[in-house]
Amino acid sequence: MSAWGHGFFENDNAGDWAYRLDCSRDLHFVEETLDRALGPQRLAFWEGEEVLAAAETVARLKGNWGRCDSATRPVDDWIKNTSHLLTPALIEKAAAALERIAADSSSLSLVWEGSRLHEEWLNNIADLRA
C-alpha cells in the first residue's frame, strides 16, 4: 500500500481515482465506484481506497469539505467546476459503502489493522459517515 497518511486521499489509489474523476461529466463514475463496495465480492484494499475517495467526494458535494490540500485538489477542482445534484439514494449508497469498508472483514480494514493509525482511520470513516 503506497500511503503517506490516514486521510482518504493520502494514497496513490485514491489519487489515481481522483484524476480519473476529472474525466467524468456526471456522478456516474462516483456511483459506479460506490456500487463496487455493495456487491457480493470482497474488495481488494485498493478498491476500498477508491470507495473511500468516492464517499469523500459525496460529502464534499454535500458541502462538508473537510481538509483541502494538494491531495484533494483534483476532486475539489472538479466539484467547483461542475454542478451536480446529489440524490438521497447516492448519499445512502455512500453511507452503506463506508460501513462495508470499515467492517473488520474488509481487505482495507485488515491492512489498516496492523497500523498504529488504525483507530484514527476508523474515526475518519465514522466522521465521514456522520
Side-chain angles (χ1 to χ4, degrees):
M1 173 168 75
S2 183
W4 52 91
H6 55 81
F8 300 133
F9 288 100
E10 294 179 341
N11 63 77
D12 289 339
N13 295 312
D16 291 346
W17 182 90
Y19 281 108
R20 289 193 313 274
L21 174 68
D22 192 43
C23 298
S24 179
R25 301 271 186 246
D26 57 27
L27 292 172
H28 183 74
F29 181 66
V30 174
E31 187 165 12
E32 206 173 68
T33 303
L34 295 171
D35 283 340
R36 281 189 282 159
L38 303 177
Q41 73 285 357
R42 183 174 173 170
L43 297 178
F45 81 89
W46 62 268
E47 291 175 302
E49 290 174 332
E50 290 182 350
V51 168
L52 290 176
E56 175 72 21
T57 300
V58 169
R60 288 169 185 268
L61 284 163
K62 284 182 64 177
N64 301 321
W65 284 88
R67 191 177 78 215
C68 296
D69 57 25
S70 61
T72 67
R73 185 167 294 122
V75 170
D76 297 338
D77 289 346
W78 182 81
I79 291 170
K80 289 174 187 173
N81 293 322
T82 57
S83 59
H84 301 291
L85 228 42
L86 281 176
T87 63
L90 186 60
I91 295 166
E92 288 176 26
K93 194 176 282 194
L98 287 171
E99 282 184 35
R100 183 142 187 230
I101 296 300
D104 291 340
S105 61
S106 85
S107 296
L108 186 55
S109 185
L110 291 172
V111 169
W112 275 100
E113 195 173 86
S115 166
R116 63 179 172 71
L117 297 174
H118 185 240
E119 285 302 314
E120 287 181 58
W121 180 78
L122 288 173
N123 289 338
N124 282 352
I125 292 176
D127 289 345
L128 180 56
R129 192 171 188 295

